[in-house]
Amino acid sequence: DGGDTYVTAVATIATADALEDYYWGYRYLVTFFVRPIPRQLWPTKYQDAGAAWLLDYGNKATTSRFISVMGFYLPSGVSSGSIADIYQEFSWGVLLVFYVLGRVFGMVWLRHRTNGGYASILYYIMLALSIYLPTQSFSAWMHRLLYMAILGYVAWRFVVMRSPRASATG
């Protein structure tokens, strides 16, 4: 079934390999820096960034890539998981990305164990969102992490650190 997560991941990797079509970080740059800008402020942001493909998901051009290699297309909304997503982005650089991601998890865990404070909040956020890594794309995990980490920091800085109890102990 084209909607199965394993089949979707294999189809994504096989199609990227067969077509030698890797993005080399471009999709992530567009997703994290161009996409958050409201359309009202920059109506032609995707065209200006050369990322009209964001508007074309599910059209014949994107489905024909999979049909030409795999013989079927991926249903709209199906996710290949973060390994296939990062493979499509960086080819075998996926190994380096996940190594760095593991080191970041380890660093945040160590700071959580030694310092506590905001590092504990960040660690729990990363841990709670880690389910997105095998089930969704890397950008789905990273988007949620960025929003929750920023909101967690604001809450930590302006609510917890300003409480009478925090000032008495700190």
Side-chain angles (χ1 to χ4, degrees), residues 25-51:
Y26 176 68
R27 281 187 319 162
Y28 293 155
L29 288 173
V30 170
T31 300
F32 296 127
F33 296 108
V34 175
R35 193 173 179 192
I37 299 170
R39 193 174 305 221
Q40 293 79 4
L41 297 178
W42 189 7
T44 59
K45 62 183 179 179
Y46 296 126
Q47 292 83 358
D48 294 345

PDB file of all heavy atoms in Angstrom, residues 25-51:
ATOM      1  N   GLY A  25      19.566  20.839   1.819  1.00  0.00           N
ATOM      2  CA  GLY A  25      19.235  21.802   2.863  1.00  0.00           C
ATOM      3  C   GLY A  25      18.318  22.918   2.419  1.00  0.00           C
ATOM      4  O   GLY A  25      17.823  23.680   3.249  1.00  0.00           O
ATOM      5  N   TYR A  26      18.062  23.017   1.134  1.00  0.00           N
ATOM      6  CA  TYR A  26      17.237  24.113   0.610  1.00  0.00           C
ATOM      7  C   TYR A  26      15.807  24.073   1.146  1.00  0.00           C
ATOM      8  O   TYR A  26      15.260  25.099   1.534  1.00  0.00           O
ATOM      9  CB  TYR A  26      17.246  24.059  -0.920  1.00  0.00           C
ATOM     10  CG  TYR A  26      16.358  25.091  -1.558  1.00  0.00           C
ATOM     11  CD1 TYR A  26      16.672  26.438  -1.467  1.00  0.00           C
ATOM     12  CD2 TYR A  26      15.211  24.721  -2.239  1.00  0.00           C
ATOM     13  CE1 TYR A  26      15.860  27.387  -2.046  1.00  0.00           C
ATOM     14  CE2 TYR A  26      14.399  25.655  -2.810  1.00  0.00           C
ATOM     15  CZ  TYR A  26      14.727  26.991  -2.723  1.00  0.00           C
ATOM     16  OH  TYR A  26      13.915  27.922  -3.278  1.00  0.00           O
ATOM     17  N   ARG A  27      15.199  22.889   1.191  1.00  0.00           N
ATOM     18  CA  ARG A  27      13.819  22.782   1.705  1.00  0.00           C
ATOM     19  C   ARG A  27      13.741  23.245   3.145  1.00  0.00           C
ATOM     20  O   ARG A  27      12.788  23.903   3.540  1.00  0.00           O
ATOM     21  CB  ARG A  27      13.318  21.330   1.637  1.00  0.00           C
ATOM     22  CG  ARG A  27      12.879  20.879   0.312  1.00  0.00           C
ATOM     23  CD  ARG A  27      12.241  19.501   0.383  1.00  0.00           C
ATOM     24  NE  ARG A  27      12.961  18.599   1.281  1.00  0.00           N
ATOM     25  CZ  ARG A  27      12.459  17.497   1.788  1.00  0.00           C
ATOM     26  NH1 ARG A  27      11.231  17.134   1.501  1.00  0.00           N
ATOM     27  NH2 ARG A  27      13.170  16.733   2.582  1.00  0.00           N
ATOM     28  N   TYR A  28      14.741  22.890   3.944  1.00  0.00           N
ATOM     29  CA  TYR A  28      14.721  23.285   5.346  1.00  0.00           C
ATOM     30  C   TYR A  28      14.907  24.781   5.503  1.00  0.00           C
ATOM     31  O   TYR A  28      14.278  25.407   6.364  1.00  0.00           O
ATOM     32  CB  TYR A  28      15.773  22.524   6.145  1.00  0.00           C
ATOM     33  CG  TYR A  28      15.485  21.045   6.267  1.00  0.00           C
ATOM     34  CD1 TYR A  28      16.500  20.143   6.471  1.00  0.00           C
ATOM     35  CD2 TYR A  28      14.191  20.551   6.184  1.00  0.00           C
ATOM     36  CE1 TYR A  28      16.246  18.792   6.592  1.00  0.00           C
ATOM     37  CE2 TYR A  28      13.929  19.211   6.294  1.00  0.00           C
ATOM     38  CZ  TYR A  28      14.955  18.327   6.503  1.00  0.00           C
ATOM     39  OH  TYR A  28      14.691  16.988   6.621  1.00  0.00           O
ATOM     40  N   LEU A  29      15.764  25.376   4.694  1.00  0.00           N
ATOM     41  CA  LEU A  29      15.930  26.833   4.748  1.00  0.00           C
ATOM     42  C   LEU A  29      14.624  27.539   4.414  1.00  0.00           C
ATOM     43  O   LEU A  29      14.224  28.486   5.099  1.00  0.00           O
ATOM     44  CB  LEU A  29      17.039  27.286   3.786  1.00  0.00           C
ATOM     45  CG  LEU A  29      18.457  26.946   4.204  1.00  0.00           C
ATOM     46  CD1 LEU A  29      19.438  27.301   3.095  1.00  0.00           C
ATOM     47  CD2 LEU A  29      18.833  27.665   5.480  1.00  0.00           C
ATOM     48  N   VAL A  30      13.953  27.082   3.375  1.00  0.00           N
ATOM     49  CA  VAL A  30      12.668  27.682   2.997  1.00  0.00           C
ATOM     50  C   VAL A  30      11.634  27.442   4.090  1.00  0.00           C
ATOM     51  O   VAL A  30      10.909  28.351   4.483  1.00  0.00           O
ATOM     52  CB  VAL A  30      12.180  27.127   1.638  1.00  0.00           C
ATOM     53  CG1 VAL A  30      10.751  27.541   1.356  1.00  0.00           C
ATOM     54  CG2 VAL A  30      13.097  27.591   0.521  1.00  0.00           C
ATOM     55  N   THR A  31      11.596  26.229   4.597  1.00  0.00           N
ATOM     56  CA  THR A  31      10.593  25.880   5.604  1.00  0.00           C
ATOM     57  C   THR A  31      10.775  26.665   6.898  1.00  0.00           C
ATOM     58  O   THR A  31       9.799  27.110   7.496  1.00  0.00           O
ATOM     59  CB  THR A  31      10.648  24.375   5.901  1.00  0.00           C
ATOM     60  OG1 THR A  31      10.386  23.667   4.691  1.00  0.00           O
ATOM     61  CG2 THR A  31       9.631  23.975   6.935  1.00  0.00           C
ATOM     62  N   PHE A  32      12.013  26.852   7.339  1.00  0.00           N
ATOM     63  CA  PHE A  32      12.245  27.492   8.630  1.00  0.00           C
ATOM     64  C   PHE A  32      12.389  29.003   8.563  1.00  0.00           C
ATOM     65  O   PHE A  32      12.171  29.681   9.566  1.00  0.00           O
ATOM     66  CB  PHE A  32      13.478  26.891   9.314  1.00  0.00           C
ATOM     67  CG  PHE A  32      13.304  25.442   9.654  1.00  0.00           C
ATOM     68  CD1 PHE A  32      14.231  24.504   9.253  1.00  0.00           C
ATOM     69  CD2 PHE A  32      12.195  25.010  10.354  1.00  0.00           C
ATOM     70  CE1 PHE A  32      14.072  23.167   9.562  1.00  0.00           C
ATOM     71  CE2 PHE A  32      12.019  23.674  10.669  1.00  0.00           C
ATOM     72  CZ  PHE A  32      12.957  22.749  10.268  1.00  0.00           C
ATOM     73  N   PHE A  33      12.751  29.556   7.406  1.00  0.00           N
ATOM     74  CA  PHE A  33      12.992  30.994   7.345  1.00  0.00           C
ATOM     75  C   PHE A  33      12.018  31.756   6.445  1.00  0.00           C
ATOM     76  O   PHE A  33      11.706  32.905   6.720  1.00  0.00           O
ATOM     77  CB  PHE A  33      14.433  31.276   6.905  1.00  0.00           C
ATOM     78  CG  PHE A  33      15.442  30.767   7.884  1.00  0.00           C
ATOM     79  CD1 PHE A  33      16.221  29.666   7.584  1.00  0.00           C
ATOM     80  CD2 PHE A  33      15.584  31.363   9.126  1.00  0.00           C
ATOM     81  CE1 PHE A  33      17.147  29.179   8.499  1.00  0.00           C
ATOM     82  CE2 PHE A  33      16.496  30.875  10.048  1.00  0.00           C
ATOM     83  CZ  PHE A  33      17.283  29.788   9.724  1.00  0.00           C
ATOM     84  N   VAL A  34      11.529  31.142   5.367  1.00  0.00           N
ATOM     85  CA  VAL A  34      10.610  31.833   4.465  1.00  0.00           C
ATOM     86  C   VAL A  34       9.159  31.554   4.847  1.00  0.00           C
ATOM     87  O   VAL A  34       8.338  32.471   4.903  1.00  0.00           O
ATOM     88  CB  VAL A  34      10.873  31.420   2.997  1.00  0.00           C
ATOM     89  CG1 VAL A  34       9.850  32.041   2.060  1.00  0.00           C
ATOM     90  CG2 VAL A  34      12.278  31.826   2.591  1.00  0.00           C
ATOM     91  N   ARG A  35       8.854  30.315   5.126  1.00  0.00           N
ATOM     92  CA  ARG A  35       7.474  29.917   5.418  1.00  0.00           C
ATOM     93  C   ARG A  35       6.855  30.651   6.610  1.00  0.00           C
ATOM     94  O   ARG A  35       5.670  30.995   6.560  1.00  0.00           O
ATOM     95  CB  ARG A  35       7.421  28.411   5.629  1.00  0.00           C
ATOM     96  CG  ARG A  35       6.042  27.860   5.631  1.00  0.00           C
ATOM     97  CD  ARG A  35       6.060  26.367   5.673  1.00  0.00           C
ATOM     98  NE  ARG A  35       4.733  25.826   5.704  1.00  0.00           N
ATOM     99  CZ  ARG A  35       4.464  24.574   5.959  1.00  0.00           C
ATOM    100  NH1 ARG A  35       5.441  23.723   6.180  1.00  0.00           N
ATOM    101  NH2 ARG A  35       3.230  24.156   5.980  1.00  0.00           N
ATOM    102  N   PRO A  36       7.582  30.937   7.694  1.00  0.00           N
ATOM    103  CA  PRO A  36       6.945  31.628   8.825  1.00  0.00           C
ATOM    104  C   PRO A  36       6.530  33.075   8.551  1.00  0.00           C
ATOM    105  O   PRO A  36       5.736  33.637   9.286  1.00  0.00           O
ATOM    106  CB  PRO A  36       8.016  31.604   9.925  1.00  0.00           C
ATOM    107  CG  PRO A  36       8.942  30.522   9.537  1.00  0.00           C
ATOM    108  CD  PRO A  36       8.916  30.462   8.054  1.00  0.00           C
ATOM    109  N   ILE A  37       7.058  33.682   7.502  1.00  0.00           N
ATOM    110  CA  ILE A  37       6.702  35.068   7.190  1.00  0.00           C
ATOM    111  C   ILE A  37       5.275  35.088   6.654  1.00  0.00           C
ATOM    112  O   ILE A  37       4.958  34.378   5.697  1.00  0.00           O
ATOM    113  CB  ILE A  37       7.687  35.669   6.164  1.00  0.00           C
ATOM    114  CG1 ILE A  37       9.099  35.666   6.739  1.00  0.00           C
ATOM    115  CG2 ILE A  37       7.255  37.079   5.764  1.00  0.00           C
ATOM    116  CD1 ILE A  37      10.180  36.014   5.743  1.00  0.00           C
ATOM    117  N   PRO A  38       4.405  35.897   7.249  1.00  0.00           N
ATOM    118  CA  PRO A  38       3.000  35.918   6.803  1.00  0.00           C
ATOM    119  C   PRO A  38       2.865  36.318   5.329  1.00  0.00           C
ATOM    120  O   PRO A  38       3.587  37.187   4.839  1.00  0.00           O
ATOM    121  CB  PRO A  38       2.359  36.979   7.705  1.00  0.00           C
ATOM    122  CG  PRO A  38       3.252  37.084   8.878  1.00  0.00           C
ATOM    123  CD  PRO A  38       4.630  36.772   8.395  1.00  0.00           C
ATOM    124  N   ARG A  39       1.937  35.684   4.659  1.00  0.00           N
ATOM    125  CA  ARG A  39       1.679  35.955   3.238  1.00  0.00           C
ATOM    126  C   ARG A  39       1.248  37.404   3.018  1.00  0.00           C
ATOM    127  O   ARG A  39       1.485  37.970   1.958  1.00  0.00           O
ATOM    128  CB  ARG A  39       0.615  35.002   2.730  1.00  0.00           C
ATOM    129  CG  ARG A  39       0.482  34.954   1.239  1.00  0.00           C
ATOM    130  CD  ARG A  39      -0.482  33.896   0.824  1.00  0.00           C
ATOM    131  NE  ARG A  39      -0.057  32.633   1.414  1.00  0.00           N
ATOM    132  CZ  ARG A  39      -0.069  31.479   0.798  1.00  0.00           C
ATOM    133  NH1 ARG A  39      -0.513  31.417  -0.424  1.00  0.00           N
ATOM    134  NH2 ARG A  39       0.329  30.381   1.387  1.00  0.00           N
ATOM    135  N   GLN A  40       0.627  38.014   4.029  1.00  0.00           N
ATOM    136  CA  GLN A  40       0.196  39.401   3.918  1.00  0.00           C
ATOM    137  C   GLN A  40       1.402  40.343   3.825  1.00  0.00           C
ATOM    138  O   GLN A  40       1.317  41.393   3.197  1.00  0.00           O
ATOM    139  CB  GLN A  40      -0.675  39.815   5.114  1.00  0.00           C
ATOM    140  CG  GLN A  40      -2.005  39.105   5.183  1.00  0.00           C
ATOM    141  CD  GLN A  40      -1.907  37.685   5.745  1.00  0.00           C
ATOM    142  OE1 GLN A  40      -0.847  37.229   6.158  1.00  0.00           O
ATOM    143  NE2 GLN A  40      -3.027  36.979   5.738  1.00  0.00           N
ATOM    144  N   LEU A  41       2.513  39.978   4.446  1.00  0.00           N
ATOM    145  CA  LEU A  41       3.713  40.805   4.383  1.00  0.00           C
ATOM    146  C   LEU A  41       4.541  40.538   3.126  1.00  0.00           C
ATOM    147  O   LEU A  41       5.236  41.423   2.632  1.00  0.00           O
ATOM    148  CB  LEU A  41       4.589  40.555   5.623  1.00  0.00           C
ATOM    149  CG  LEU A  41       3.981  40.928   6.968  1.00  0.00           C
ATOM    150  CD1 LEU A  41       4.942  40.570   8.088  1.00  0.00           C
ATOM    151  CD2 LEU A  41       3.653  42.414   6.999  1.00  0.00           C
ATOM    152  N   TRP A  42       4.505  39.305   2.639  1.00  0.00           N
ATOM    153  CA  TRP A  42       5.308  38.921   1.475  1.00  0.00           C
ATOM    154  C   TRP A  42       4.481  37.957   0.634  1.00  0.00           C
ATOM    155  O   TRP A  42       4.640  36.746   0.705  1.00  0.00           O
ATOM    156  CB  TRP A  42       6.598  38.277   1.946  1.00  0.00           C
ATOM    157  CG  TRP A  42       7.620  38.003   0.917  1.00  0.00           C
ATOM    158  CD1 TRP A  42       7.623  38.378  -0.402  1.00  0.00           C
ATOM    159  CD2 TRP A  42       8.824  37.257   1.110  1.00  0.00           C
ATOM    160  NE1 TRP A  42       8.743  37.933  -1.026  1.00  0.00           N
ATOM    161  CE2 TRP A  42       9.506  37.240  -0.121  1.00  0.00           C
ATOM    162  CE3 TRP A  42       9.394  36.619   2.205  1.00  0.00           C
ATOM    163  CZ2 TRP A  42      10.722  36.602  -0.282  1.00  0.00           C
ATOM    164  CZ3 TRP A  42      10.601  35.989   2.038  1.00  0.00           C
ATOM    165  CH2 TRP A  42      11.261  35.983   0.805  1.00  0.00           C
ATOM    166  N   PRO A  43       3.578  38.504  -0.219  1.00  0.00           N
ATOM    167  CA  PRO A  43       2.654  37.647  -0.972  1.00  0.00           C
ATOM    168  C   PRO A  43       3.325  36.677  -1.949  1.00  0.00           C
ATOM    169  O   PRO A  43       2.807  35.601  -2.209  1.00  0.00           O
ATOM    170  CB  PRO A  43       1.774  38.628  -1.735  1.00  0.00           C
ATOM    171  CG  PRO A  43       2.067  39.969  -1.197  1.00  0.00           C
ATOM    172  CD  PRO A  43       3.354  39.914  -0.460  1.00  0.00           C
ATOM    173  N   THR A  44       4.471  37.042  -2.475  1.00  0.00           N
ATOM    174  CA  THR A  44       5.139  36.190  -3.476  1.00  0.00           C
ATOM    175  C   THR A  44       6.371  35.507  -2.889  1.00  0.00           C
ATOM    176  O   THR A  44       7.342  35.260  -3.607  1.00  0.00           O
ATOM    177  CB  THR A  44       5.538  37.048  -4.687  1.00  0.00           C
ATOM    178  OG1 THR A  44       6.415  38.089  -4.245  1.00  0.00           O
ATOM    179  CG2 THR A  44       4.330  37.633  -5.376  1.00  0.00           C
ATOM    180  N   LYS A  45       6.325  35.199  -1.610  1.00  0.00           N
ATOM    181  CA  LYS A  45       7.512  34.672  -0.931  1.00  0.00           C
ATOM    182  C   LYS A  45       8.022  33.369  -1.543  1.00  0.00           C
ATOM    183  O   LYS A  45       9.220  33.186  -1.705  1.00  0.00           O
ATOM    184  CB  LYS A  45       7.264  34.515   0.561  1.00  0.00           C
ATOM    185  CG  LYS A  45       6.164  33.551   0.935  1.00  0.00           C
ATOM    186  CD  LYS A  45       5.948  33.530   2.429  1.00  0.00           C
ATOM    187  CE  LYS A  45       4.835  32.590   2.813  1.00  0.00           C
ATOM    188  NZ  LYS A  45       4.659  32.568   4.258  1.00  0.00           N
ATOM    189  N   TYR A  46       7.128  32.447  -1.901  1.00  0.00           N
ATOM    190  CA  TYR A  46       7.568  31.169  -2.440  1.00  0.00           C
ATOM    191  C   TYR A  46       8.139  31.317  -3.851  1.00  0.00           C
ATOM    192  O   TYR A  46       9.132  30.676  -4.196  1.00  0.00           O
ATOM    193  CB  TYR A  46       6.437  30.150  -2.423  1.00  0.00           C
ATOM    194  CG  TYR A  46       5.977  29.810  -1.022  1.00  0.00           C
ATOM    195  CD1 TYR A  46       4.652  29.919  -0.654  1.00  0.00           C
ATOM    196  CD2 TYR A  46       6.889  29.385  -0.067  1.00  0.00           C
ATOM    197  CE1 TYR A  46       4.239  29.614   0.637  1.00  0.00           C
ATOM    198  CE2 TYR A  46       6.482  29.076   1.227  1.00  0.00           C
ATOM    199  CZ  TYR A  46       5.155  29.200   1.560  1.00  0.00           C
ATOM    200  OH  TYR A  46       4.754  28.900   2.838  1.00  0.00           O
ATOM    201  N   GLN A  47       7.528  32.157  -4.647  1.00  0.00           N
ATOM    202  CA  GLN A  47       8.055  32.393  -5.990  1.00  0.00           C
ATOM    203  C   GLN A  47       9.411  33.103  -5.913  1.00  0.00           C
ATOM    204  O   GLN A  47      10.345  32.757  -6.647  1.00  0.00           O
ATOM    205  CB  GLN A  47       7.078  33.238  -6.823  1.00  0.00           C
ATOM    206  CG  GLN A  47       5.795  32.518  -7.174  1.00  0.00           C
ATOM    207  CD  GLN A  47       4.747  32.569  -6.068  1.00  0.00           C
ATOM    208  OE1 GLN A  47       4.960  33.113  -4.994  1.00  0.00           O
ATOM    209  NE2 GLN A  47       3.603  31.966  -6.336  1.00  0.00           N
ATOM    210  N   ASP A  48       9.531  34.091  -5.022  1.00  0.00           N
ATOM    211  CA  ASP A  48      10.787  34.824  -4.873  1.00  0.00           C
ATOM    212  C   ASP A  48      11.912  33.931  -4.355  1.00  0.00           C
ATOM    213  O   ASP A  48      13.077  34.116  -4.710  1.00  0.00           O
ATOM    214  CB  ASP A  48      10.613  36.022  -3.936  1.00  0.00           C
ATOM    215  CG  ASP A  48       9.683  37.075  -4.496  1.00  0.00           C
ATOM    216  OD1 ASP A  48       9.385  37.034  -5.710  1.00  0.00           O
ATOM    217  OD2 ASP A  48       9.243  37.948  -3.724  1.00  0.00           O
ATOM    218  N   ALA A  49      11.560  32.987  -3.501  1.00  0.00           N
ATOM    219  CA  ALA A  49      12.566  32.073  -2.943  1.00  0.00           C
ATOM    220  C   ALA A  49      12.815  30.872  -3.855  1.00  0.00           C
ATOM    221  O   ALA A  49      13.626  30.008  -3.525  1.00  0.00           O
ATOM    222  CB  ALA A  49      12.126  31.598  -1.563  1.00  0.00           C
ATOM    223  N   GLY A  50      12.103  30.823  -4.977  1.00  0.00           N
ATOM    224  CA  GLY A  50      12.261  29.686  -5.885  1.00  0.00           C
ATOM    225  C   GLY A  50      11.684  28.412  -5.318  1.00  0.00           C
ATOM    226  O   GLY A  50      12.168  27.317  -5.599  1.00  0.00           O
ATOM    227  N   ALA A  51      10.671  28.546  -4.494  1.00  0.00           N
ATOM    228  CA  ALA A  51      10.086  27.379  -3.816  1.00  0.00           C
ATOM    229  C   ALA A  51       8.613  27.217  -4.163  1.00  0.00           C
ATOM    230  O   ALA A  51       7.795  26.922  -3.299  1.00  0.00           O
ATOM    231  CB  ALA A  51      10.271  27.519  -2.318  1.00  0.00           C
TER     232      ALA A  51
END
